[in-house]
Amino acid sequence: VSSDRTAVNFDFSNYKFSWADEDCINPDEVLPIEISRGCIFKCSYCSYPLNGKKKLDFIKNPKNLYDHFMENYDRFGVTSYMYTDDTHNDSLEKLEHLYNNVYSKLPFKIKFSAYLRLDLLKAHPDMIPLLRESGLSSCFFGIESLNYESNKVVGKGMRLEKTVQTLNKVRTAWPNIFLQGGFIVGLPNETEEIANNWLNLVTDPTFPLDRVTLNALSLSKIQGVNGYWYNDIEKFPEKYGYTYSTNQSWTSNTGMTYSKAVEIQRKFSKKIRETNLNKKAWVTSWRLQNVGLTYDQFKSLTVLESKNTVNLFIDNYLKLLHTRN
């Protein structure tokens, strides 16, 4: 078992990475990249080992990042990326640092998707135009709940009115940027009635998100070596009002159970499907580009035609890979 589980001995900031010729990168491809490691927050339901880092820790050296973007542009013509950072907008300083030292110096306009935190856009409104100018094209917000009493316990303290107000502000400022929100059913202080009330709001077609993702709160009683990859609620369930009947079946002190949370999640997921709210996902257009389709083209294809397009891409990729080797 590795003693360096959080890779503290890995010099992430100065590490250089290059795609190989046999990766067969095409100009329209959207490449994954990690701009920074870890998150400055420690939400109770989140278990990533590098949670709670300081601002500007573990961020790519701007020169290396610039060189990486330029290399991919010069070799492959690539200008689009999927950022895998836990929270891309964890500080205004980070976004300004990247814009001033990387994005503004590139001879082309970069485009990227990213995980963002909505409450930071409320606290730091300068982030909104800065992200747009930096090249943001789609994003995912982990909003989790519209129940304030749940959010403040787990580390997300925006009230319902502020959440909706901020989303409307972002929607106006980013008319062409895709917005997806993730929500969790069964967080602390939530009853069945409370969950139904706020879920009726977020699954209404007029809610200012392009896509809504719902999940029931998943907890595990059995923990691994040294507690890695287990969140604070799993480590201290009684503190948050949870008890276990089996490994993953929990009951909260409000009477909510895991099975009830799953039932509610399924009910509202069905509502989303029936109202056609989720017409696309935040990464759909990016992944479609990787097989040679635009989103508009994808909308006009049947499921079978889409599968045939993907299969054709795979066949052509394998042929190209064979010639490279």
Side-chain angles (χ1 to χ4, degrees):
V1 178
S2 171
S3 61
D4 188 19
R5 290 177 179 268
T6 55
V8 292
N9 295 318
F10 171 51
D11 187 5
F12 170 81
S13 297
N14 294 305
Y15 175 74
K16 295 182 179 180
F17 168 81
S18 292
W19 294 92
D21 289 339
E22 54 266 32
D23 291 318
C24 304
I25 306 297
N26 67 70
D28 293 326
E29 197 150 348
V30 184
L31 299 178
I33 186 172
E34 192 174 28
I35 302 297
S36 63
R37 298 179 68 213
C39 181
I40 66 172
F41 301 101
K42 299 185 71 174
C43 295
S44 305
Y45 56 83
C46 188
S47 58
Y48 293 137
L50 289 177
N51 287 347
K53 70 166 188 174
K54 295 180 180 179
K55 292 180 181 179
L56 301 183
D57 279 353
F58 309 120
I59 297 179
K60 281 287 185 184
N61 180 305
K63 184 180 185 309
N64 289 352
L65 192 56
Y66 174 88
D67 289 345
H68 183 73
F69 287 145
M70 286 302 304
E71 178 185 13
N72 292 337
Y73 180 70
D74 291 337
R75 290 177 63 197
F76 312 115
V78 167
T79 61
S80 299
Y81 292 86
M82 290 183 284
Y83 287 3
T84 62
D85 303 24
D86 298 337
T87 309
H88 182 60
N89 68 324
D90 52 18
S91 74
L92 180 60
E93 293 92 335
K94 172 186 174 182
L95 298 183
E96 290 175 335
H97 170 77
L98 291 171
Y99 182 81
N100 293 332
N101 296 295
V102 183
Y103 304 138
S104 63
K105 298 184 181 300
L106 291 170
F108 58 90
K109 181 73 171 181
I110 195 173
K111 294 194 296 184
F112 63 88
S113 62
Y115 293 93
L116 301 181
R117 189 155 162 148
L118 185 66
D119 55 355
L120 290 181
L121 298 183
K122 168 68 173 63
H124 306 286
D126 287 347
M127 286 185 176
I128 298 174
L130 182 57
L131 282 164
R132 183 187 61 225
E133 292 304 310
S134 296
L136 181 71
S137 292
S138 62
C139 63
F140 183 99
F141 296 116
I143 300 172
E144 318 318 346
S145 176
L146 294 187
N147 177 27
Y148 175 68
E149 296 303 322
S150 295
N151 273 349
K152 72 178 181 180
V153 169
V154 299
K156 299 213 170 170
M158 262 211 310
R159 296 183 182 274
L160 185 154
E161 305 79 31
K162 296 296 184 183
T163 298
V164 176
Q165 182 184 65
T166 305
L167 279 174
N168 280 319
K169 181 177 181 178
V170 169
R171 177 79 288 166
T172 300
W174 297 346
N176 299 316
I177 294 177
F178 185 83
L179 310 178
Q180 181 168 340
F183 297 86
I184 301 174
V185 184
L187 290 175
N189 299 322
E190 183 165 87
T191 64
E192 182 179 351
E193 180 182 7
I194 288 173
N196 278 290
N197 286 340
W198 67 259
L199 281 164
N200 273 318
L201 290 175
V202 302
T203 56
D204 188 289
T206 63
F207 197 72
L209 285 173
D210 295 300
R211 187 177 180 89
V212 170
T213 304
L214 305 178
N215 288 289
L217 177 65
S218 179
L219 301 175
S220 177
K221 181 180 181 180
I222 302 173
Q223 299 184 20
V225 179
N226 298 324
Y228 281 98
W229 301 103
Y230 285 84
N231 61 48
D232 205 52
I233 298 178
E234 290 170 321
K235 292 177 181 178
F236 310 104
E238 296 84 4
K239 172 184 172 182
Y240 294 94
Y242 294 93
T243 56
Y244 291 98
S245 55
T246 62
N247 179 37
Q248 291 183 311
S249 294
W250 51 260
T251 299
S252 77
N253 55 12
T254 66
M256 179 73 85
T257 64
Y258 175 66
S259 60
K260 177 57 69 174
V262 170
E263 179 185 323
I264 294 171
Q265 177 265 321
R266 288 175 177 171
K267 178 179 73 173
F268 282 95
S269 293
K270 181 181 178 181
K271 177 184 175 183
I272 289 171
R273 291 193 300 272
E274 291 174 346
T275 57
N276 202 28
L277 173 62
N278 286 352
K279 296 180 180 178
K280 52 185 175 179
W282 71 303
V283 293
T284 296
S285 60
W286 298 116
R287 289 175 178 170
L288 291 172
Q289 277 185 235
N290 287 349
V291 296
L293 287 175
T294 66
Y295 180 69
D296 288 337
Q297 290 173 326
F298 176 74
K299 285 191 297 184
S300 67
L301 298 179
T302 65
V303 173
L304 179 59
E305 288 172 331
S306 300
K307 289 182 177 179
N308 288 340
T309 301
V310 172
N311 289 335
L312 178 62
F313 170 82
I314 293 173
D315 289 342
N316 289 335
Y317 174 82
L318 292 175
K319 290 176 183 176
L320 182 60
L321 183 62
H322 179 72
T323 62
R324 296 285 175 88
N325 293 325

